[in-house]
Amino acid sequence: LMHVRRSKKYRREDQRMTLNQLVIIVLSNLVFCSAFAPIVQQPRISKQLFAQSFDLKYNDMSSDEEQKPQLATLRIHGPDSQGIVAAFSQLLYGHGCGIFDSEQSTDRSASLFFQRIHFDYSMMHTDRVSLEKGVTEVCDRFKMTSQLNWGDTKKKVCIMVSKYDHCLWELLLRHRAGELDCDIALVLSNHPDLKPVADAFNVPFEVFKITKDTKALQENAEIELMQTKYNIDLVILARYMQIVSDNFCNTFPHKGINI
């Protein structure tokens, strides 16, 4: 095309290719491509090259899977003092663990410190027993309490609702999309209105009608059901329009979320 455009024989207003010129360009391209014909005529080589490249990509993918992090969660709380964050950071580093993320807060009125550490133990060069013992020693030094979850099993969750459905829909849809790493084992309500929502997601739905006279009795039945049949680890109050008792809170200490 550049040759045709630069040719003095053609003016700007008449730069159209003739059929003959198009044929010449096509033929020249065919001659140029024919130089690579020996490579195309060797299918065995091309298959070998393809197989080698595929194996290389497969090995790269497998190596990525081998380096997949193993995440655990350490929760601590207790009297606020200096050096808590550094002590637990050094402890995890000493066992070969890497901190994935960490969040901490302080209740200044009560002088209490709270921290949640999400760490990767895939490269840990000790064992779980040693790390748990180290966590206990640091907690004893600072008079803290701790909870270590290795992330081996998903938490079993119970969602408690009444008649408002938007929170229930949100949780069930996000769980189906894989955004919530848990097992929603039960939906519990004091009204039967939201049973079709739970049925749409194949989640068991139980109703405990509560009145002023039957509140304590029904709440004890709810606790027994969650503990004996479903082994619930976490309770989510998703627009549950009842005030839970002290007995309920003591049964699930630090295991309830109100949204």
Side-chain angles (χ1 to χ4, degrees):
L1 289 175
M2 294 299 296
H3 174 74
V4 173
R5 288 174 181 241
R6 292 177 182 178
S7 178
K8 297 182 181 179
K9 297 180 181 180
Y10 296 91
R11 299 177 181 179
R12 287 187 177 180
E13 61 270 17
D14 190 16
Q15 292 183 348
R16 300 177 180 177
M17 282 188 192
T18 63
L19 180 60
N20 294 333
Q21 291 172 332
L22 183 60
V23 171
I24 293 174
I25 293 176
V26 171
L27 291 176
S28 61
N29 287 332
L30 291 175
V31 172
F32 176 79
C33 294
S34 64
F36 297 94
I39 298 178
V40 179
Q41 293 175 359
Q42 295 179 2
R44 294 183 179 179
I45 298 178
S46 60
K47 289 181 180 180
Q48 292 175 357
L49 292 175
F50 175 78
Q52 292 175 0
S53 62
F54 177 78
D55 291 339
L56 179 61
K57 293 181 179 179
Y58 180 79
N59 292 332
D60 292 341
M61 293 173 62
S62 61
S63 62
D64 293 340
E65 292 179 356
E66 292 175 357
Q67 297 177 357
K68 184 178 180 180
Q70 294 176 296
L71 301 179
T73 304
L74 173 63
R75 296 176 178 86
I76 57 173
H77 73 279
D80 187 25
S81 62
Q82 294 182 350
I84 297 176
V85 176
F88 283 99
S89 299
Q90 292 174 0
L91 172 66
L92 294 174
Y93 175 76
H95 286 264
C97 302
I99 295 179
F100 193 77
D101 57 56
S102 175
E103 296 181 2
Q104 60 267 349
S105 61
T106 303
D107 185 349
R108 299 188 181 279
S109 60
S111 188
L112 291 176
F113 177 81
F114 303 86
Q115 186 177 19
R116 179 179 62 199
I117 305 174
H118 210 197
F119 64 93
D120 176 19
Y121 62 94
S122 60
M123 302 296 291
M124 183 171 62
H125 49 69
T126 59
D127 55 18
R128 295 187 180 188
V129 176
S130 299
L131 180 58
E132 291 174 355
K133 184 178 179 181
V135 171
T136 302
E137 292 176 353
V138 176
C139 286
D140 292 341
R141 191 198 319 166
F142 291 96
K143 298 180 180 180
M144 310 283 289
T145 58
S146 65
Q147 181 183 8
L148 180 56
N149 181 11
W150 292 101
D152 294 328
T153 58
K154 294 183 178 181
K155 291 184 178 296
K156 292 185 178 181
V157 176
C158 172
I159 305 176
M160 300 183 68
V161 296
S162 290
K163 290 186 177 181
Y164 295 99
D165 64 346
H166 58 283
C167 289
L168 179 60
W169 277 109
E170 180 83 7
L171 292 171
L172 293 176
L173 287 171
R174 287 185 178 274
H175 179 263
R176 174 174 288 182
E179 297 182 18
L180 301 178
D181 188 19
C182 64
D183 289 331
I184 299 180
L186 174 66
V187 175
L188 192 149
S189 178
N190 57 328
H191 296 282
D193 300 56
L194 301 184
K195 187 178 187 304
V197 180
D199 291 342
F201 292 86
N202 297 320
V203 178
F205 187 90
E206 299 287 346
V207 179
F208 291 86
K209 294 183 179 180
I210 294 178
T211 64
K212 184 177 181 180
D213 298 329
T214 63
K215 181 177 177 63
L217 184 62
Q218 291 290 72
E219 192 174 81
N220 290 333
E222 293 172 346
I223 293 174
E224 183 179 1
L225 178 68
M226 286 188 283
Q227 287 187 326
T228 59
K229 184 176 180 179
Y230 291 99
N231 298 319
I232 297 300
D233 301 307
L234 177 67
V235 179
I236 300 178
L237 306 179
R239 298 290 291 180
Y240 182 64
M241 309 306 290
Q242 292 287 328
I243 298 175
V244 296
S245 65
D246 292 340
N247 180 40
F248 188 94
C249 296
N250 293 330
T251 305
F252 299 99
H254 307 290
K255 297 179 181 179
I257 300 176
N258 185 28
I259 62 175

